[in-house]
C-alpha cells in the first residue's frame, strides 16, 4: 500500500496536458504524415513544457519576418529613416535608405517628397550606397511577375510595383504610377489572358481586356535612372543622377512611425517591407553602403549561434533559410522582453480577427498572437498563446514536407493550439 501514492502520482503525471499533447504529436497521423516540430515554453517558469523535433531545422517561410522585426527593434528609432543627404554649393545630393514606404499606395510615407519639394537647391540622386542583387538568394526566378517578389532597391518608390485596377462597370483601367501607362499594351491573344504580364527583363506590360473587375500589383524593374525619372515626375522638377559615395557627414530625414511599418509587415506578411527593414537598419547606423548581411550577422551572433539554423534573407521567400522551433522560441523571448505586451499583440496578427490569421477559426476573444509562414509544402506559426487561465506561453509549430493543401495544415495547427489554450 505504501507504493500507491507514487503510482497515483505517476498516473497523474502521465495524464498531464503536456504529456497528452506530446503523445499526440508522436502518434497522431495529423503530425506524423509529414515533418512536424513543436515547442511550447513558459517564460515565467523559464521552462520548456513540450518539445517535439524542436532542435530540428525547418524551412521557416515568413516566420523569418520575426527576425527582421527584431532587427528593426534593435536598431530603428520611433521614426523611419527616409533619406540621407548633403548640400554642396547649390546642389543637394541624396541617397536612399531602403525605406519601402516612399509613395507606397498601401502605406505612403511622403516625408522625403515633402523635404525634396521644398529645397531650393538642384537635386541629385546617388545609388552608390547599394551593391546588392535585385532579388534575394534562393528566390524563385519565375516569381518576378508576382506582387510578393518586388525587387530590392536603395530607393524604392510606389512599393516597386505597378498597380493595375479594373473598376466594375467602367471601360477604363487605372495604372499607378501613371508613368507606366505608355509601357502597357492590351493583349490581342486568344484566349484573352486573365492577368497582367510583364516582360521578364524590361518594363513592358501586357494587360487583358477589361472584362471583369480586379486589381493586380506587378513588380517593375528598378534602376537608378527610373527612380530619378519617377521622382522628377512626382516633384515636377529635375532630379539628376550622380555616382558619389555617401559621406559620414550625411544628414538624415526622418519618416513616419516605425510601428506602422512593423504592423503592416507582420499583418499582411509583406515581403518587400520585411526585406527593406534590414536596409533601413543599416541606413540608420549610417553605413556608407546598405548592408543587410551585417544586420543578419548581428542577430546570428546574439540569437541563433546554432549550426542547425541559417538566415539568408529578410522575408523568408528563400528555401535556404533554416530555423528550429527552439530558435524561434529564443527569438520570441527577446521580443517579449523588448516590447510591452499590449503593443506587441497589436503589432502581431490575432487569430480569428486580423491579418493573415483572420481566417483561423477561433470563437470568442483572440488568444493566439503570432506570425504565420507558408509556401508549397510549408506552414508554420510562431508567437504567443494566452491560456484559459490567463498565462502567456510562447510556441512555435512548424510543418514541412507535406502534400496536403496549406489550409489543411492551418486547420490542424488551429485545433492543436485550441487544446493548448484549453488545457494549460
Amino acid at each position: 500500500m505504501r507504493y500507491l501514492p507514487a503510482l497515483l502520482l505517476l498516473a497523474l503525471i502521465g495524464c498531464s496536458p503536456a504529456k497528452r499533447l506530446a503523445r499526440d504529436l508522436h502518434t497522431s497521423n495529423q503530425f506524423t504524415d509529414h515533418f512536424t516540430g513543436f515547442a511550447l515554453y513558459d517564460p515565467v517558469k523559464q521552462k520548456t513544457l513540450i518539445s517535439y523535433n524542436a532542435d530540428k531545422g525547418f524551412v521557416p517561410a515568413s516566420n523569418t519576418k520575426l527576425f527582421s522585426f527584431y532587427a528593426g527593434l534593435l536598431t530603428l528609432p520611433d521614426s523611419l529613416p527616409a533619406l540621407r543627404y548633403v548640400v554642396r554649393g547649390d546642389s543637394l545630393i541624396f541617397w536612399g535608405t531602403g525605406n519601402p514606404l516612399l509613395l507606397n499606395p498601401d502605406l505612403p510615407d511622403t516625408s522625403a517628397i515633402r523635404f525634396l519639394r521644398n529645397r531650393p537647391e538642384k537635386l541629385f540622386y546617388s545609388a552608390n550606397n547599394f551593391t546588392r542583387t535585385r532579388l534575394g538568394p534562393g528566390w524563385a526566378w519565375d516569381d518576378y511577375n508576382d506582387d510578393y517578389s518586388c525587387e530590392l532597391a536603395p530607393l524604392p518608390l510606389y512599393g516597386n510595383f505597378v498597380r493595375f485596377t479594373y473598376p466594375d462597370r467602367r471601360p477604363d483601367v487605372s495604372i499607378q504610377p501613371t508613368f507606366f501607362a505608355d509601357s502597357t499594351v492590351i493583349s490581342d491573344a486568344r484566349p484573352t489572358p486573365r492577368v497582367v504580364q510583364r516582360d521578364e527583363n524590361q518594363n513592358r506590360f501586357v494587360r487583358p481586356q477589361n472584362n471583369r473587375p480586379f486589381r493586380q500589383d506587378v513588380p517593375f524593374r528598378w534602376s537608378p535612372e527610373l527612380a530619378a525619372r519617377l521622382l522628377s515626375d512626382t516633384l515636377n522638377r529635375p532630379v539628376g543622377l550622380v555616382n558619389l559615395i555617401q559621406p559620414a557627414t550625411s544628414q538624415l530625414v526622418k519618416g513616419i512611425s516605425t510601428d506602422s511599418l512593423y504592423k503592416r509587415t507582420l499583418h499582411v506578411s509583406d515581403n518587400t517591407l520585411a526585406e527593406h527593414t534590414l536596409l533601413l537598419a543599416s541606413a540608420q547606423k549610417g553605413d556608407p553602403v546598405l548592408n543587410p548581411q551585417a544586420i543578419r550577422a548581428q542577430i546570428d551572433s546574439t540569437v541563433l549561434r546554432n549550426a542547425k539554423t541559417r538566415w539568408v534573407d529578410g522575408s523568408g521567400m528563400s528555401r535556404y533559410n533554416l530555423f528550429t522551433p527552439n530558435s524561434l522560441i529564443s527569438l520570441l523571448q527577446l521580443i517579449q522582453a523588448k516590447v510591452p505586451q499590449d503593443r506587441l499583440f497589436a503589432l502581431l496578427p490575432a487569430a480569428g480577427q486580423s491579418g493573415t490569421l483572420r481566417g483561423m477559426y477561433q470563437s470568442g476573444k483572440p488568444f493566439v498572437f503570432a506570425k504565420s509562414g507558408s509556401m508549397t509544402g510549408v506552414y508554420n506559426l510562431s508567437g504567443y498563446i494566452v491560456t484559459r487561465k490567463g498565462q502567456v506561453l510562447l510556441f512555435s509549430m512548424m510543418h514541412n514536407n507535406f502534400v496536403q493543401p496549406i489550409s489543411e495544415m492551418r486547420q490542424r495547427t488551429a485545433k492543436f493550439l485550441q487544446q493548448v489554450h484549453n488545457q494549460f
Side-chain angles (χ1 to χ4, degrees), residues 42 79 83 94 99 115 120 138 145 166 174 182 204 212 253 312 327-328 368 419:
D42 185 335
S79 298
L83 211 64
F94 62 93
N99 186 346
F115 172 78
N145 201 71
Y166 287 67
S174 169
D182 291 340
R204 299 292 297 175
R212 62 187 177 92
V253 177
V312 303
S327 67
L328 281 153
V368 171
Q419 295 182 67

Side-chain angles (χ1 to χ4, degrees), residues 239-256:
V239 176
L241 275 178
V242 293
N243 185 28
L244 295 176
I245 297 173
Q246 178 183 300
T249 56
S250 65
Q251 299 184 64
L252 183 65
V253 177
K254 294 182 179 180
I256 64 174

Side-chain angles (χ1 to χ4, degrees), residues 144-419:
Y144 71 88
N145 201 71
D146 296 315
D147 58 2
Y148 55 80
S149 191
C150 295
E151 296 185 6
L152 305 175
L155 187 66
L157 294 166
Y158 297 96
N160 278 0
F161 61 79
V162 185
R163 174 161 289 174
F164 295 86
T165 305
Y166 287 67
D168 190 15
R169 293 188 295 274
R170 289 179 58 189
D172 55 338
V173 58
S174 169
I175 301 175
Q176 295 294 330
T178 57
F179 175 88
F180 292 100
D182 291 340
S183 304
T184 304
V185 298
I186 300 175
S187 174
D188 58 2
R190 293 291 183 270
T192 300
R194 297 179 63 83
V195 298
V196 179
Q197 183 68 43
R198 194 199 83 204
D199 186 282
E200 180 185 348
N201 297 310
Q202 60 182 330
N203 289 319
R204 299 292 297 175
F205 303 86
V206 178
R207 65 177 180 88
Q209 296 189 31
N210 187 13
N211 53 10
R212 62 187 177 92
F214 79 100
R215 191 180 80 181
Q216 183 183 353
D217 296 338
V218 181
F220 59 71
R221 287 296 304 267
W222 187 94
S223 68
E225 294 78 14
L226 176 60
R229 292 188 65 183
L230 288 173
L231 281 175
S232 293
D233 280 4
T234 301
L235 297 169
N236 292 315
R237 59 183 296 190
V239 176
L241 275 178
V242 293
N243 185 28
L244 295 176
I245 297 173
Q246 178 183 300
T249 56
S250 65
Q251 299 184 64
L252 183 65
V253 177
K254 294 182 179 180
I256 64 174
S257 162
T258 307
D259 271 8
S260 61
L261 172 76
Y262 296 151
K263 185 172 183 177
R264 181 162 183 82
T265 300
L266 297 172
H267 272 235
V268 305
S269 202
D270 192 302
N271 292 329
T272 303
L273 270 55
E275 292 291 342
H276 286 81
T277 296
L278 301 182
L279 272 67
L280 284 163
S282 182
Q284 182 65 38
K285 293 171 57 182
D287 293 340
V289 176
L290 300 178
N291 188 1
Q293 176 57 39
I295 303 298
R296 291 198 301 269
Q298 179 184 354
I299 306 300
D300 280 338
S301 63
T302 57
V303 181
L304 298 175
R305 294 175 293 181
N306 190 322
K308 297 178 183 176
T309 61
R310 182 171 60 240
W311 184 20
V312 303
D313 72 2
S315 62
M317 284 204 293
S318 176
R319 289 185 181 266
Y320 298 162
N321 291 306
L322 202 65
F323 296 141
T324 69
N326 276 343
S327 67
L328 281 153
I329 293 294
S330 297
L331 176 67
L332 292 167
Q333 288 178 265
L334 292 169
I335 293 173
Q336 186 183 45
K338 197 162 186 64
V339 185
Q341 183 170 297
D342 288 348
R343 177 189 171 202
L344 179 57
F345 285 7
L347 293 175
L348 287 166
Q353 185 177 86
S354 61
T356 55
L357 301 189
R358 186 185 297 274
M360 178 176 281
Y361 174 74
Q362 284 192 344
S363 58
K365 186 177 180 181
F367 56 82
V368 171
F369 303 85
K371 182 72 195 76
S372 61
S374 60
M375 57 175 61
T376 302
V378 173
Y379 181 75
N380 309 306
L381 189 65
S382 300
Y384 308 89
I385 182 167
V386 182
T387 70
R388 192 177 293 277
K389 296 178 181 178
Q391 295 175 277
V392 177
L393 304 178
L394 283 54
F395 76 92
S396 178
M397 184 159 233
M398 309 189 79
H399 303 277
N400 277 198
N401 302 338
F402 55 83
V403 295
Q404 298 89 341
I406 289 172
S407 58
E408 170 68 20
M409 294 302 139
R410 186 183 298 115
Q411 184 180 51
R412 294 183 189 184
T413 301
K415 288 181 178 179
F416 189 79
L417 293 178
Q418 181 77 54
Q419 295 182 67

